[in-house]
Amino acid sequence: MKTKSKSLFSKICKFYCKKESSTVDHEIRDVCKDLLLTNDQLKLVMERLAEEINRGLNKETHNDSIVKCFTTYVQDLPNGTEKGNFLALDLGGTNFRVLLITLDGQNFDMKSKIYAIPQILMLGTGNQLFDHIAQCLALFVKDLNLQDEVLPLGFTFSFPLTQHGLTKGFLVRWTKGFNVSGVIGEDVVALLEAAISRRNDIKIDVCAILNDTTGTLMSCAWKNRNCRIGLIVGTGSNACYVEKTEKATCAIAGNYNPHKPHMLINTEWGAFGESGVLDFILTEFDRVVDDNSLNPKKQLFEKMISGMYMGELARVILEKLVDNGLLFGGKCPTDLKKRGKFFTKYVSEIEADPKGKYHNCREVLAELGARNVTDQDCENVRYVCSVVSRRAAHLASAGIAMLLNRVNENNVTVGIDGSVYRFHPHFHDLMTEKISELQNHKFDLMLSEDGSGRGAALVAAVASQKR
Ligand code: GLC
């Protein structure tokens, strides 16, 4: 009797163990092993990023630096007394948006509209792009019947700019999916103003141009006085932070006040790695994604973290697993062979399945043309997604840990926006855990909803108050 019940017990045990953990095949783990980063590797990433940031800030090395650390000319954080109607444009993330924001003490009201930027404009000429932006702006203003007011506008333009003041920003390079001719080296505010005056039907006063990281920090700081860092993990990835003005010797021109103790610095950390300092963690998969991108050899850190590349990275790994006969019985679903077809949102969806359940995973695989997949296939696909997103979260954490050390205060809040941070089911937790392991300051990660749009209005508000 005793032996009988023992064997029944062990059968039940086996059944549940099997059910609970369809374990990932070890061959799959082996193919993915270079994507798992140890804390020692991440600490080396922190050290190297810190060196690059010093080079960017220093006027002697700024011109040749990779992580540019652009001065933003934003020296005042909002204090909650900002008032009035402000327009904001937000270009450079998943969507192009026009916003009207009404500020009044701690209340704010926002109307916004999303407009498409057809891909043909993302790869067209500067005049076409800015005429389109001005047209969307005019439609929005007229819809609200505000065409006769002179409205202050903040322009969130999420690309690297050399700024010579709050309203002068020269484009250094396009990143993400944009490659528009005739804009690099030009003052983007002047291009926008020229397009608005070509139309001659609305009155706009451009008060500020800023990066989405700056907008995110400002928008978070409006509510939270401890905010010192703004982070984007969306289509692209980048961070800005509050630096001592004396450290930013690269601030060469423009209307900034060197006596104010602080200034926001837009690090443009997406470019980190272009000098080879990240080669020790780059994998064969990163190289494939990079080779096939619009900007090979550029923005390497960004390509390991952000949403524009995350799905594609997972796809490249999955394709290799199928080719090696380790997934789907070696038969590749049609769309898995096609570049760009494994969307980044799939990574979030697949990882949102509860442990041992594969509902979302099966749906995604069906969309790609794979039906009748086994639980084991699903478990393996989920593993690949989790390896890619964990590495992204850990690299972003290394960057934030380094900035927290730099800011060197306790209880700093990091304002974060971007589709990956928002929609990935574990990104926030992964980052919180890893940042705590990599440095010793207390900190908070806070979703800065609508950071880039609202932040633009806040920068415009602070600037127009000063005027
Ligand atoms: C890219 C841009 C940068 C922006 C980031 C997030 O890295 O160069 O300016 O902040 O994407 O949108």
Side-chain angles (χ1 to χ4, degrees), residues 8 26 54 67 85 104 156 354 389 453 465:
L8 183 62
H26 76 267
N54 285 334
V67 179
N85 275 334
D104 184 7
T156 303
S389 63
Q465 254 182 10

Side-chain angles (χ1 to χ4, degrees), residues 70 91-94 157-161 173-176 211-214 231-239 266 268-271 299 302 306 417:
F70 292 114
L91 179 76
T94 323
F157 182 78
S158 307
F159 301 95
L161 291 180
R173 65 158 68 148
W174 288 110
T175 53
K176 301 172 280 193
N211 190 256
D212 50 356
T213 54
T214 308
L231 168 68
I232 299 284
V233 192
T235 309
S237 178
N238 185 17
N266 166 19
E268 286 291 333
W269 78 15
Q299 301 291 116
E302 174 159 271
S306 77
D417 202 357

Side-chain angles (χ1 to χ4, degrees), residues 237-275:
S237 178
N238 185 17
C240 76
Y241 72 106
V242 177
E243 181 56 282
K244 297 191 183 67
T245 308
E246 69 196 33
K247 292 247 170 96
T249 57
C250 60
I252 25 126
N255 49 358
Y256 87 105
N257 180 349
H259 304 297
K260 286 221 165 152
H262 295 109
M263 181 185 280
L264 290 197
I265 297 295
N266 166 19
T267 65
E268 286 291 333
W269 78 15
F272 180 36
E274 288 176 19
S275 60

Side-chain angles (χ1 to χ4, degrees), residues 358-424:
Y358 306 106
H359 175 78
N360 292 349
C361 187
R362 284 208 157 79
E363 265 189 8
V364 166
L365 293 175
E367 270 179 49
L368 294 166
R371 283 164 222 283
N372 304 324
V373 292
T374 63
D375 278 5
Q376 188 62 54
D377 280 332
C378 291
E379 185 64 27
N380 291 339
V381 169
R382 201 232 297 270
Y383 179 73
V384 170
C385 291
S386 74
V387 159
V388 170
S389 63
R390 273 178 91 84
R391 187 184 65 159
H394 289 170
L395 288 171
S397 301
I400 292 300
M402 186 277 306
L403 289 179
L404 285 168
N405 285 341
R406 245 194 133 82
V407 172
N408 198 18
E409 288 173 32
N410 253 324
N411 303 316
V412 161
T413 298
V414 183
I416 314 184
D417 202 357
S419 45
V420 173
Y421 178 78
R422 259 177 208 232
F423 300 125
H424 187 278

Side-chain angles (χ1 to χ4, degrees), residues 323-368:
D323 289 348
N324 290 2
L326 300 171
L327 262 186
F328 311 134
K331 269 200 240 117
C332 200
T334 350
D335 276 2
L336 195 62
K337 289 190 207 136
K338 297 185 190 151
R339 227 177 272 156
K341 279 285 183 181
F342 194 92
F343 306 129
T344 295
K345 69 171 187 184
Y346 291 166
V347 174
S348 295
E349 286 167 9
I350 289 173
E351 288 192 66
D353 272 334
K355 200 171 157 40
K357 299 265 183 316
Y358 306 106
H359 175 78
N360 292 349
C361 187
R362 284 208 157 79
E363 265 189 8
V364 166
L365 293 175
E367 270 179 49
L368 294 166

